Amino acid sequence: MKIVCQLIQLALLSFIVNVGSAVAMPAETYFKPVETMTAQISPDGKFVASVAQGDESQKLVIWNSVDGSKRTLIDLKALTPRDASIRFIRWIGPRYIVAQFMELKKGVKNLLDTKPAYRLLVLDVLGSKSLPPKVFEVKTSGWLVHALPDEPGYFLYAKSGIYSKVYKIDVSKLNLLNQKASKLVRKDGGQFTAQNEVASVKGFAARWFFDLSGQPESALYFDEGKLHLSRIADGISSTPIKSWTKEELEEKPSTGEKYGVLIPVSISPEDGAYFCLDTTAEKDRTVYQCNFSTGEESVVYRSDSYDIVDLIIDESTGALIGVKVVRDGKLEYQYIDESIQVNDGMTSLLETTVGASIDNTVKLYFSETHDQPGRYFIRKQGQKSDQLVASKFPHLDGRLESRQFHDWIQVEGIDIPYVLNMPKGNGPYPLIVMPHGGPLGIFDHQYFDYYTQFFVANKYAVLRVNYRGSSGYSAELEEAGIQQWGNLMLEDIYQATKVVGARKDIASSQICAAGVSYGGYAALMMAIKHQQLFRCAVSIAGVTDVNLYLNSPYTSEAQTKWLQENVGDTVKNYDLLKDISPVYLAQELSRPVFIIHGEKDEVVDIEHMHRMHMMLSKFNKDYEWKVYPDMAHGPADSEHHVAVFSSIIEFIEKNMK
C-alpha cells in the first residue's frame, strides 16, 4: 500500500511540475484544411451557397434552408485537371449562382511563366436534385461587375480595352458549358453588342462603380498615360473627378504626410466617397475612405497581417463588411466586427451579418470567438434558434475551451498591449511567448488564432505582445517601431513576459519563445538576451543575420528603400545591425533552441538557418534543426503544419521539464 501511495504522489508531482507534458490534441488531429472559405445567401433566403475545400479540390455547395439538405453543384477537380480555385461567388436572382474560378496554366519551365486563366460559370440551382445542374459559361474575357438585384437572371459584365464597355447579359441566352460555337450557336449568345451596352469609357478600365440598383456611377481607367476617376453620365464618362500621373502613382508620401496615394477600389455608402487602398504602401493592409471632391481621408479597417486583394461589400447597403486577403498563397475572407462584445473579460465575440434575403426576414451571419473558429449561421425572423450552415474548421467546433485576457504595460512612455490565452483551470501553466511576424504594420487580434489555440489545447498559456511597430491600435504605437527592430521591440516583449510570468496561474520557470519570421528572430533573441527568464526558443523561418536580410535578392527596389528607412541601412549601420543579429551572438547562448526553415523560402532565405546552424555547431550549443525541402516561408498546408508543430511540441515538452 505504501508503494502504491508513493507512486501516486510521484505521478501527481510530475503533473504539477509539467502540466503540458501530455499532448492533449496531437497536431494531426488539430491541423486540417479550412473547409468553408465563404458563403452567400440567395435573395429569397431559401439557399446558402458556400465554397468548400475538399481533400484535393474546391467545391461549390448549396445548403437548403427549408430541409437542411446539402448538395455539391460543382467540383473543380471534375471540371479541370489544372490547379484551380474559386475566387468569388455571387447570386444572380434566386435561381442562378455565379462562380468565377482561376486555373493555373503552366508553361515550359524557365521559358513561359505560370499564368492564371479566369473562367466565369453560371449554375442553375433549381434543377432536379437527381441530375447534374445546368451550367452556363461566359467565354468572353472580362469580369462580372454587378448582379442587378432588381432584374433576376441578368447581370452586368465588363470588358476592357482601348474602349472599355459594360454589357447587360441574360443568363438564359448564354452557351452551356463546353458547348461549341457554330453558325447556329453564337458565342455567349451573341450578347456583346451595342444593343446590350450599358456604359463605356475611352481607355482601359480597371474598376467600375455602381449604385445599389446597378446604375453606373463612375469608372477608374487608364488613358493617355494617366489614371482617371470619372463620373458616368448617360452611359459615358464625363470630366474626371481625379487624375494621377505615373510619377504620382509611384511617389512615396513626403515626411509628415498621413497617407500615400489612395486609389478607389469600391464605392462607399457615404455620398461622394470611395473605399481606397494605398498604392505606395509596402503591403496593402489598410482600407481607407476618401472623398476626392472634399479631400477628406480616414482609416476604416486594418488587416492584422495579410495583404488585402479585394473588399467584401454588403450588396444591399454598400457597407464594407470584410476583406479578401492572401494567407499562405490562398485566398481567405476576414470579416469586420459590427460590435466587439467581451463576456466576463475572457471571450471576444465577432459577429457580422454577411447577407440577407430581399425582404430581410432571413439573415446569414458569420460568428467567431477566440476559441471557436468562424461559422456561418442562418437567422430567421420569428425563430428562436439559429441554424448552423457551415464552419471553417468543423473538426474543432466545440472542442476548444480557453480563457483570454487583454491588458497593457508601459515601456519607455508607450502603452504596449498584449493578449494572453490560457486553458480553463487554475494552472499554473507553462507559457509560450509568441511574437508576431512582420514586424511593422502587423498586430495580434483578439479573435481566433490558429497557432495560439493549438498550444492552448495542449495545456500551454500563450502570450502575444503587440510591441511597438504593431498596427491596429494607434499611430503612436506603430511609428514608435521605426528603427527599433532589435532594440525596444524586444524590450516590449521582455517586459510583458515578466509581468505575465509573475501571475499565479503561470509557471514562471517554464517559459519558451516561439515565432515565425520576425517572430522567429525575436524568439532567438529572447533566449540569448534573457536566459534567466526563457528556458528555450523555437525559430521558424527566422531572420538570423539582419544585414543579410536587408540585402535579400527577393526584395524590390521600393521594399529595399522601405527597409532602409524602417529597419536600418547596411552601409551606414552595418556594425549596429550585426550587433542585433543572433548569428553573431550564438556564443552567448546557454538555452536550447530549435531552428526550422523551408528551402523554398523567398522572404527569409534559408541561408539564415545555415549560418545559425554553423555558429551553433561551432560553439557546441544545445540545438536542433530541421529543413523542409518543399516548404516556403513557414508551413502553409496541413502536411507541413502537422510535421512542424509535432516537432515543436516534442522539443518544448523535452526542454520544459
Side-chain angles (χ1 to χ4, degrees), residues 73 82 114 135 220 223 249 262 280 352 372 391 394 492 617 642:
L73 281 187
R82 301 186 179 102
T114 296
V135 183
L220 184 71
D223 184 42
L249 292 173
L262 303 185
T280 60
T352 301
Q372 172 56 59
S391 176
D492 295 339
S617 176
V642 170

Side-chain angles (χ1 to χ4, degrees), residues 515-518 520-521 539-543 596-598 601 604 631-634:
V516 182
S517 196
Y518 177 85
Y521 162 84
S539 173
I540 306 171
V543 172
I596 300 168
H597 224 106
D601 195 336
V604 178
M631 191 171 78
H633 191 55

Side-chain angles (χ1 to χ4, degrees), residues 215-272:
Q215 292 299 310
E217 194 272 350
S218 52
L220 184 71
Y221 60 96
F222 291 93
D223 184 42
E224 297 181 349
K226 290 185 178 181
L227 180 65
H228 304 281
L229 175 66
S230 297
R231 296 280 183 194
I232 300 295
D234 297 323
I236 60 174
S237 60
S238 57
T239 304
I241 303 168
K242 176 81 174 177
S243 295
W244 298 266
T245 65
K246 180 182 177 182
E247 292 72 26
E248 288 173 330
L249 292 173
E250 295 174 349
E251 186 179 349
K252 289 288 182 181
S254 304
T255 304
E257 285 187 348
K258 202 170 184 181
Y259 314 121
V261 181
L262 303 185
I263 300 298
V265 293
S266 183
I267 196 167
S268 165
E270 290 196 15
D271 188 36

Side-chain angles (χ1 to χ4, degrees), residues 497-516:
T497 304
K498 283 205 306 181
V499 169
V500 170
R503 292 173 58 110
K504 292 182 180 179
D505 47 9
I506 295 296
S508 59
S509 62
Q510 294 178 295
I511 301 176
C512 187
V516 182

